[in-house]
Every structure is written in structure tokens, then in C-alpha cells.
Amino acid sequence: MSDNLWGYQPSSGYAAGTDLTGFSVEAIDGSIGKVDKHSDGVGSSHLLIDTGVWIFGKEVLLPAGTVTRIDTEDRKVYVDLTKEQIKGSPDFDRQSHVADPGYHAELGTYYAAHRFV
């Protein structure tokens, strides 16, 4: 994973302005859902993943630094995390994630601790 969790790795293939909405998301050990929203804001780039039936009713926010590769032809985003690591991530609250800088810190701490799988 990148040292900058909140920015896309140069090797990921992400180009600024690319719309990732609807892309499938692949963890190391399988599919976790689809990109519902994404941001490429400097210092806060992330993907909001709709996990669908995998974790019923849960949305997950992944820092862009977890993205290892983007396949625009197959519309897939690959992340350097296991399904279990993603499932155990801090709960996402759509109402407060933008307004609460503590949430970004909590998420950053969680994913930094799971850098090596």
C-alpha cells in the first residue's frame, strides 16, 4: 500500500477525472461490491463501496491508497486488502464522514495497521 493512504498510488493507473462509479471492487480474496461514489480530492481521495449482499446493508469507505490497480476495460478496481480486513473496518456514517475529521483519522489508523497482509 502507498505511504499516502488518501491518494492514489501512481502505479494504480488512476487518471484524475476518471469516473469509477459502478466499477466492481476486488479484494485480494474476492469481490466486495461496487463503487457507489468516489473522490479524488487532494489528501482525501477515497472510494465509497456498496457491499450489497456480501455485508448486507453496509457501505465501506476505502482510502484511495488501498487501490493497487484499475482496469478501465473490465471496469474493476483492485485493492490490497482482504475481505475480512474490509469487513472489520470502522463503520461508515454517510451523514458525518465529511464533517468529522476524526473519522478520517480513525480510518487511516485502521488501514495503516493492516498494510501488510
Side-chain angles (χ1 to χ4, degrees):
M1 246 183 264
S2 167
D3 287 334
N4 175 13
L5 281 175
W6 300 103
Y8 289 95
Q9 298 178 48
S11 60
S12 71
Y14 180 76
T18 302
D19 184 5
L20 301 175
T21 305
F23 277 45
S24 295
V25 182
E26 297 290 325
I28 292 169
D29 53 353
S31 180
I32 63 162
K34 293 194 180 290
V35 177
D36 185 42
K37 286 178 65 176
H38 70 97
S39 166
D40 58 5
V42 176
S44 65
S45 298
H46 60 270
L47 303 171
L48 178 60
I49 311 303
D50 178 354
T51 62
V53 297
W54 175 56
I55 311 175
F56 184 71
K58 184 170 181 178
E59 293 177 309
V60 181
L61 192 75
L62 297 180
T66 63
V67 175
T68 57
R69 184 167 65 96
I70 297 170
D71 185 335
T72 55
E73 189 172 309
D74 286 340
R75 295 182 51 82
K76 289 187 178 184
V77 174
Y78 296 85
V79 296
D80 192 16
L81 297 163
T82 65
K83 291 169 112 177
E84 199 60 35
Q85 289 170 324
I86 294 165
K87 188 175 183 179
S89 69
D91 287 339
F92 175 75
D93 180 353
R94 189 177 281 269
Q95 303 302 327
S96 68
H97 87 93
V98 175
D100 182 6
Y103 177 71
H104 269 234
E106 178 185 8
L107 203 60
T109 299
Y110 176 82
Y111 284 117
H114 292 88
R115 296 182 75 121
F116 303 103
V117 282

